[in-house]
């Protein structure tokens, strides 16, 4: 299953609770698109959130994020990994 | 120890060997700055490389990348993680 890194920008000041709730909203529906979100990290100073997932496609990742209310700004398929 | 995600852009067409060599060049000297690179992923279509690390500071991460010959375009401290 391909891996993906997606980026959400302009999330400056995000709290731990907000990140946890947003991530949970993804987890709650991810199975409907065959997506598995593995990790989410945030730089709360500059406002980026990074999500690592396994999914059938970038579109599946984005559909889950959109339905959960937080569309990603970039979704990258990770074609190489070390 | 804080975690960091750094991004290298404009690496379109990067090969698996090139990524492995670049990552190894970081690993070879990371101890001199107290950095531990945990993972590197690349989107070879759009040209981004993402590196996840533990380090004392963003500057320490950048110093290793610069000395290894591949300065990062962004270095983000991951203040939240889920």
């Amino acid at each position: 299953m391909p891996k993906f890194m997606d980026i959400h920008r302009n999330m400056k000041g995000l709290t731990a609770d907000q990140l946890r709730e947003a991530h949970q909203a993804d987890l709650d529906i991810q199975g409907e698109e065959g997506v598995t979100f593995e990790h989410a990290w945030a730089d709360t100073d500059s406002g980026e959130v990074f999500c690592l997932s396994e999914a059938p496609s970038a579109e599946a990742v984005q559909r889950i994020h959109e339905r959960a209310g937080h569309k990603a700004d970039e979704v990258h398929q990770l074609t190489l990994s070390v």
Side-chain angles (χ1 to χ4, degrees), chain A:
Chain A
M1 183 83 84
K3 280 194 176 266
F4 295 86
M5 184 78 76
D6 65 75
I7 307 178
H8 308 252
R9 299 194 182 272
N10 306 308
M11 308 290 281
K12 215 176 274 197
L14 187 76
T15 68
D17 281 350
Q18 288 169 331
L19 179 63
R20 207 165 22 236
E21 281 164 26
H23 186 57
Q24 190 59 50
D26 290 328
L27 298 184
D28 288 347
I29 58 172
Q30 66 181 5
E32 295 168 32
E33 294 278 357
V35 178
T36 303
F37 284 101
E38 297 180 350
H39 220 107
W41 302 271
D43 176 342
T44 54
D45 289 331
S46 62
E48 281 81 8
V49 174
F50 302 93
C51 301
L52 183 67
S53 63
E54 280 194 354
S57 68
E59 292 72 22
V61 173
Q62 188 64 285
R63 279 194 294 270
I64 295 296
H65 277 332
E66 281 188 322
R67 288 177 50 201
H70 42 255
K71 187 176 175 181
D73 293 293
E74 301 175 33
V75 183
H76 294 284
Q77 183 165 348
L78 302 171
T79 44
L80 298 177
S81 174
V82 292

